[in-house]
């Protein structure tokens, strides 16, 4: 719908400037616009994913904690990859999020069920000269900050191994919003957790 609207406006501008004689889009019926939710992962699918990652290696511990952080905190891929150790208060169950779009900070609460996975990861996290929370492997067999592309590949690998549809980080974010509504939260809580600038964006999850 947005592409159709922008194209028609561009062609109208062309007619006004006499670059073209007429706007062919005026003869095309405007497509119906419907609000819809993007693909999301459900709570039971997250739990299926966690159960399938059953190992005790540091990568397994990291992925269990990271996947649950994505789902329960509704973070964007860039936001979760930029997290630092100091951004987490496990005892108070709070995460300081540096918003990608607004360049602001927000305190996001998380459930008690996430305390254990986060503590387990902090205890096993390989020592690093940097203080980023999530660590990945580099091509030389060492360690580096975990980046967005690594997150995308990890989610794909874990979803395929668990026999699930491949969900990206945004699917976890939208799953978080729907889970808030299903558990009795309101649209303002969705807006606060996801960091939407407009309440109308958060209101989509009420449908």
């Amino acid at each position: 719908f947005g592409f159709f609207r922008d194209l028609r406006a561009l062609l109208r501008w062309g007619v006004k400037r006499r670059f073209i004689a007429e706007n062919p889009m005026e003869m095309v019926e405007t497509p119906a616009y419907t609000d819809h939710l993007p693909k999301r992962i459900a709570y039971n699918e997250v739990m299926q994913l966690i159960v399938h990652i059953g190992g005790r290696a540091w990568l397994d511990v990291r992925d269990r904690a990271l996947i649950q952080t994505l789902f329960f905190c509704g973070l964007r891929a860039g936001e979760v990859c930029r997290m630092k150790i100091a951004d987490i208060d496990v005892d108070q169950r709070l995460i300081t999020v540096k918003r990608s779009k607004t360049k602001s900070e927000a305190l996001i609460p998380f459930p008690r069920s996430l305390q254990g996975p986060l503590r387990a990861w902090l205890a096993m996290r390989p020592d690093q000269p940097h203080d980023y929370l999530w660590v990945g492997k580099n091509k030389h067999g060492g360690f580096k900050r975990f980046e967005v592309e690594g997150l995308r590949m990890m989610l794909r690998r874990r979803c395929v191994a668990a026999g699930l549809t491949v969900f990206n980080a945004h699917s976890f974010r939208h799953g978080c919003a729907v889970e808030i509504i299903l558990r009795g939260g309101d649209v303002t809580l969705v807006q606060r957790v996801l960091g939407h600038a407009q309440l109308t964006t958060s209101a989509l999850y009420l449908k």
Side-chain angles (χ1 to χ4, degrees):
F1 178 82
F3 174 78
F4 179 93
R5 179 190 59 202
D6 294 342
L7 179 59
R8 184 166 60 183
L10 175 64
L11 291 172
R12 282 176 178 169
W13 176 84
V15 171
K16 185 176 181 180
R17 293 285 182 172
R18 297 183 180 180
F19 292 125
I20 56 176
E22 59 182 22
N23 183 354
M25 296 300 291
E26 299 294 354
M27 303 297 293
V28 180
E29 183 178 354
T30 302
Y33 174 74
T34 56
D35 292 333
H36 64 281
L37 293 178
K39 183 174 71 171
R40 66 179 179 89
I41 189 169
Y43 175 80
N44 65 308
E45 291 171 317
V46 175
M47 292 301 102
Q48 180 180 338
L49 200 53
I50 296 304
V51 168
H52 194 272
I53 307 172
R56 296 183 180 180
W58 71 270
L59 282 172
D60 298 321
V61 175
R62 181 201 67 185
D63 291 354
R64 284 194 294 268
L66 180 47
I67 285 170
Q68 291 178 82
T69 299
L70 278 173
F71 184 76
F72 289 119
C73 300
L75 304 181
R76 297 178 177 92
E79 292 170 349
V80 76
C81 288
R82 283 195 300 273
M83 288 176 64
K84 296 189 175 182
I85 296 173
D87 294 333
I88 294 182
D89 187 331
V90 179
D91 293 331
Q92 296 297 317
R93 295 189 290 119
L94 290 171
I95 289 178
T96 300
V97 179
K98 297 173 178 62
R99 295 297 186 192
S100 300
K101 293 189 175 182
T102 61
K103 307 302 179 185
S104 60
E105 290 189 354
L107 278 176
I108 303 301
F110 60 83
R112 287 186 176 86
S113 61
L114 186 51
Q115 285 178 302
L118 285 174
R119 285 194 176 110
W121 168 241
L122 289 170
M124 188 171 279
R125 176 184 177 275
D127 289 334
Q128 294 293 297
H130 63 72
D131 59 349
Y132 287 103
L133 176 62
W134 309 108
V135 176
K137 285 184 176 180
N138 63 32
K139 61 183 179 181
H140 303 295
F143 302 107
K144 65 175 183 177
R145 168 190 167 189
F146 198 50
E147 299 178 348
V148 171
E149 179 61 16
L151 174 62
R152 184 190 67 80
M153 294 173 63
M154 181 274 282
L155 291 176
R156 179 177 182 82
R157 183 178 70 255
R158 293 299 192 182
C159 287
V160 169
L164 293 171
T165 299
V166 174
F167 293 103
N168 60 24
H170 224 62
S171 300
F172 285 78
R173 178 172 164 81
H174 291 298
C176 171
V178 173
E179 189 66 19
I180 289 172
I181 298 300
L182 292 176
R183 291 175 181 258
D186 61 17
V187 67
T188 56
L189 180 57
V190 172
Q191 183 184 31
R192 176 191 169 195
V193 173
L194 269 64
H196 289 146
Q198 302 294 328
L199 194 62
T200 51
T201 304
S202 306
L204 289 173
Y205 298 95
L206 296 175
K207 298 185 177 184

